C-alpha cells in the first residue's frame, strides 16, 4: 500500500490543551527513575554577548551509549501512571482504555510534521495498536545508518559540542553555578511527558528537556508548575550573515528546531555562536515568532500541520489490528514522494518490535485489578 505525499492534505490543526502530565530522569548508566533527579536549571551569563566557552574541552566526557532504547522509558512511565491516563468511559467504540489515541516521543511528531520539506533522508515509523491506542516508534533508515557510520571526526565533534554547551549554562539548583569540574555524562537526560490535542487526535508524548528557568527549586514534580522550558542549541558563525541573522541555507534545520520547540510550548531558543574550533563567544536568543517570520518563504507550520493531520487520519484507518496480530511499518521515500505501508507479522526476532511483553502483561494485570 502507498500514500502519495501530495494526496495527504488535511485541515490545519494546532497543538491545543498542551500540558505536562509527568516527568522522569535517566542517569549516566541509562537507568530510569520517576523523579526530578536530572532536572537542570538555566543560568544566564552576566554578559551573553561576551562569553568564552570551550566546547572542545571533552577530555573527561562520558560519551552517549550507542543503544536504541526504542520507547522503553516511555513504556516504563506509562506502566506507573495507568490510573491518571484511563478514559472515564472505557467502553468506547474502538475499545480504547487509555485517553491518548497516539503515544510516542516528540521526535516522531517532529519527523512527521517536517515531512513536506524532507527531500533527502526519509524515515521509518512503526505503529503498534494495543487496547485501542496506537504506539509509534521511529527506526533508522538505511540512508541514516550510512550517514551516521560515515560521519567525519569533525561532525562527531560538533555533536559533542552541543552537549558541552549545555554544561556551561545549566546547574543542579537555581542558586548554583555551572560546574565544569564534573565530567560531562551525555547519557544523563530529563524528560517531560506532554498531553495535547491535535485536531481530533489526543496525543501523549515524551520529550527530552534541556532545562528550565526558575528562581525556585522544584523538588516534587513539574506537573502543574508554571515554568519556562529552555531549549539550547549551537550554530557556527558561518551560519550567520554579517547582520547577525541566520542564513536561509539553514532553513530546514531551523524548521526542525522550531517544530520541536513549538510542540512543547517553548517560546525561545538560546543559541551559542561558535567558531570552527568549538569556542563560543556570544549567545543569541531567537523567539519562535521571529523565526517563523524570518523563514516564511521557506516553510510554514500550516503546510506541516496539514500533512500531519491527513497522515494521522490515514494511519488510524490503516492500523486496525492489535499488536499481537500486526505491526505496521510506514516508510517515507523522498525520491518517490510517497509513503509505503507494510503489515508485519509480530515475532521476537522482528527488528521492528517495540511493545514489550512485560508492558502488555502489566497493562493486562492492571485492567484485571480494576474490574
Amino acid at each position: 500500500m502507498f500514500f502519495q505525499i501530495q494526496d495527504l492534505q488535511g485541515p490545519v490543526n494546532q497543538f491545543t490543551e498542551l500540558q505536562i502530565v509527568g516527568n522522569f530522569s535517566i542517569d549516566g548508566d541509562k537507568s530510569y527513575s520517576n523523579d526530578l533527579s536530572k532536572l537542570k536549571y538555566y543560568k544566564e551569563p552576566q554578559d551573553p554577548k561576551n562569553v568564552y566557552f570551550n566546547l572542545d574541552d571533552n577530555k573527561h566526557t562520558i560519551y552517549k551509549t550507542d543503544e536504541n532504547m526504542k520507547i522503553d522509558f516511555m513504556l516504563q512511565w506509562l506502566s506507573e501512571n495507568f490510573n491518571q491516563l484511563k478514559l472515564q468511559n472505557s467502553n468506547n467504540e474502538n475499545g480504547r482504555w487509555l485517553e491518548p489515541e497516539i503515544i510516542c516521543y516528540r521526535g516522531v511528531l517532529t519527523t512527521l510534521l517536517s515531512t513536506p520539506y524532507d527531500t533527502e533522508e526519509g524515515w521509518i515509523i512503526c505503529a503498534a495498536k494495543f487496547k485501542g491506542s496506537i504506539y509509534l516508534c521511529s527506526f533508522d533508515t538505511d540512508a541514516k545508518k550510512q550517514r551516521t557510520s560515515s560521519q567525519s571526526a569533525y561532525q562527531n565533534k560538533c555533536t559533542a559540542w552541543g552537549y558541552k554547551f549545555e554544561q556551561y549554562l545549566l546547574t543542579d539548583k537555581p542558586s548554583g553555578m555551572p560546574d565544569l569540574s564534573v565530567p560531562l555524562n551525555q547519557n544523563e537526560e530529563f524528560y517531560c511527558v506532554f498531553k495535547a490535542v491535535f485536531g481530533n487526535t489526543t496525543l501523549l508524548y515524551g520529550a527530552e528537556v534541556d532545562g528550565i528557568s526558575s528562581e525556585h527549586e522544584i523538588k516534587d514534580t513539574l506537573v502543574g508548575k508554571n515554568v519556562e522550558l529552555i531549549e539550547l542549541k549551537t550554530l557556527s558563525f558561518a551560519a550567520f550573515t554579517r547582520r547577525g541573522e541566520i542564513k536561509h541555507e539553514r532553513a530546514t534545520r531551523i524548521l526542525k528546531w522550531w517544530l520541536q520547540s513549538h510542540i512543547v510550548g517553548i517560546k525561545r531558543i538560546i543559541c551559542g555562536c561558535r567558531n570552527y574550533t568549538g569556542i563560543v563567544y556570544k549567545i543569541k536568543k531567537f523567539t519562535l515568532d521571529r523565526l517563523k517570520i524570518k523563514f516564511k518563504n521557506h516553510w510554514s507550520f500550516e503546510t506541516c500541520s496539514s500533512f500531519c493531520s491527513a497522515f494521522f487520519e490515514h494511519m488510524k484507518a490503516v492500523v486496525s489490528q492489535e499488536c499481537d496480530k500486526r505491526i505496521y511499518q510506514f516508510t517515507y521515500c523522498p525520491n518517490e514522494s510517497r509513503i509505503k505501508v507494510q503489515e508485519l507479522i509480530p515475532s521476537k526476532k522482528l527488528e521492528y518490535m517495540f511493545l514489550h511483553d512485560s508492558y502488555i502483561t502489566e497493562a493486562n494485570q492492571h485492567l484485571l485489578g480494576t474490574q
Side-chain angles (χ1 to χ4, degrees):
M1 182 187 303
F2 297 92
F3 297 148
Q4 294 296 330
I5 290 295
Q6 61 267 26
D7 295 334
L8 291 175
Q9 296 183 6
V12 175
N13 292 317
Q14 301 293 329
F15 285 78
T16 61
E17 301 180 38
L18 178 67
Q19 58 180 311
I20 297 174
V21 296
N23 46 249
F24 58 87
S25 298
I26 308 300
D27 70 14
D29 296 320
K30 303 293 284 187
S31 295
Y32 164 98
S33 57
N34 193 350
D35 57 29
L36 301 177
S37 57
K38 297 305 172 184
L39 173 64
K40 301 292 184 182
Y41 296 83
Y42 175 61
K43 180 69 69 172
E44 183 166 281
Q46 287 186 344
D47 185 0
K49 295 181 179 180
N50 183 24
V51 300
Y52 185 89
F53 297 164
N54 182 7
L55 306 186
D56 205 36
D57 182 15
N58 280 297
K59 182 178 179 180
H60 301 292
T61 292
I62 301 169
Y63 290 91
K64 183 175 282 292
T65 306
D66 186 17
E67 182 180 2
N68 183 3
M69 298 300 292
K70 300 180 180 176
I71 63 168
D72 295 8
F73 296 135
M74 269 294 291
L75 296 179
Q76 193 161 351
W77 183 86
L78 282 161
S79 66
E80 297 174 358
N81 292 275
F82 286 141
N83 283 328
Q84 75 172 86
L85 298 172
K86 285 193 299 187
L87 275 173
Q88 295 296 323
N89 177 16
S90 59
N91 297 318
N92 65 85
E93 59 182 10
N94 295 316
R96 200 171 81 249
W97 72 295
L98 295 180
E99 185 179 0
E101 296 172 79
I102 293 176
I103 299 169
C104 60
Y105 275 128
R106 169 179 60 175
V108 168
L109 297 178
T110 302
T111 295
L112 288 173
L113 285 162
S114 61
T115 298
Y117 300 99
D118 179 359
T119 59
E120 296 181 1
E121 196 166 271
W123 46 256
I124 295 173
I125 294 173
C126 289
K129 193 171 191 177
F130 176 63
K131 303 286 186 190
S133 294
I134 298 174
Y135 297 72
L136 302 179
C137 182
S138 63
F139 292 84
D140 289 347
T141 62
D142 289 339
K144 185 172 183 179
K145 290 176 183 176
Q146 174 63 29
R147 180 173 61 80
T148 302
S149 64
S150 61
Q151 276 193 165
S152 66
Y154 182 74
Q155 288 172 317
N156 290 329
K157 270 193 172 187
C158 290
T159 300
W161 290 345
Y163 289 100
K164 193 67 177 182
F165 180 63
E166 295 174 9
Q167 190 182 30
Y168 273 96
L169 292 173
L170 299 174
T171 67
D172 292 330
K173 294 184 178 181
S175 58
M177 296 297 293
D179 187 356
L180 277 296
S181 68
V182 177
L184 173 63
N185 191 326
Q186 295 179 357
N187 293 299
E188 294 182 354
E189 298 172 329
F190 178 73
Y191 284 81
C192 286
V193 181
F194 296 85
K195 186 173 72 172
V197 176
F198 182 70
N200 298 319
T201 304
T202 303
L203 303 169
L204 185 81
Y205 46 98
E208 185 185 355
V209 173
D210 293 335
I212 66 170
S213 180
S214 173
E215 295 180 358
H216 306 286
E217 184 178 2
I218 298 173
K219 297 182 179 181
D220 48 0
T221 178
L222 288 188
V223 177
K225 303 293 194 302
N226 184 23
V227 297
E228 179 189 6
L229 304 183
I230 297 297
E231 185 72 24
L232 302 175
K233 299 290 187 183
T234 65
L235 267 181
S236 70
F237 283 117
F240 293 91
T241 66
R242 291 183 178 180
R243 297 176 58 186
E245 297 290 341
I246 301 174
K247 292 179 180 178
H248 292 295
E249 299 93 284
R250 299 300 197 277
T252 301
R253 177 189 289 192
I254 300 304
L255 168 63
K256 291 188 176 181
W257 287 9
W258 193 95
L259 289 170
Q260 67 177 193
S261 296
H262 176 71
I263 62 181
V264 297
I266 290 174
K267 303 298 184 186
R268 59 175 179 158
I269 296 172
I270 297 167
C271 184
C273 309
R274 59 167 177 81
N275 65 13
Y276 69 96
T277 64
I279 305 297
V280 172
Y281 294 107
K282 180 190 299 184
I283 294 173
K284 294 176 69 71
K285 300 174 185 177
F286 299 97
T287 67
L288 264 61
D289 289 342
R290 176 184 170 187
L291 291 174
K292 187 176 182 181
I293 293 171
K294 168 72 176 176
F295 291 95
K296 64 181 180 181
N297 294 327
H298 298 268
W299 49 259
S300 76
F301 174 70
E302 290 70 24
T303 298
C304 298
S305 172
S306 175
F307 164 80
C308 196
S309 298
F311 177 80
F312 278 160
E313 294 308 312
H314 279 72
M315 184 188 68
K316 287 190 285 187
V318 169
V319 181
S320 57
Q321 299 191 61
E322 290 278 300
C323 60
D324 59 333
K325 300 290 194 299
R326 290 289 187 275
I327 300 295
Y328 297 83
Q329 182 190 62
F330 296 82
T331 304
Y332 172 52
C333 310
N335 59 327
E336 300 174 5
S337 296
R338 65 181 185 177
I339 297 172
K340 180 171 68 173
V341 186
Q342 290 180 281
E343 296 186 16
L344 308 176
I345 304 299
S347 74
K348 291 185 178 180
K349 295 182 179 180
L350 181 64
E351 176 186 359
Y352 300 106
M353 293 288 288
F354 61 93
L355 275 189
H356 302 304
D357 291 343
S358 58
Y359 174 75
I360 293 172
T361 298
E362 286 189 55
N364 285 328
Q365 289 175 345
H366 180 86
L367 277 170
L368 285 172
T370 55
Q371 287 179 353

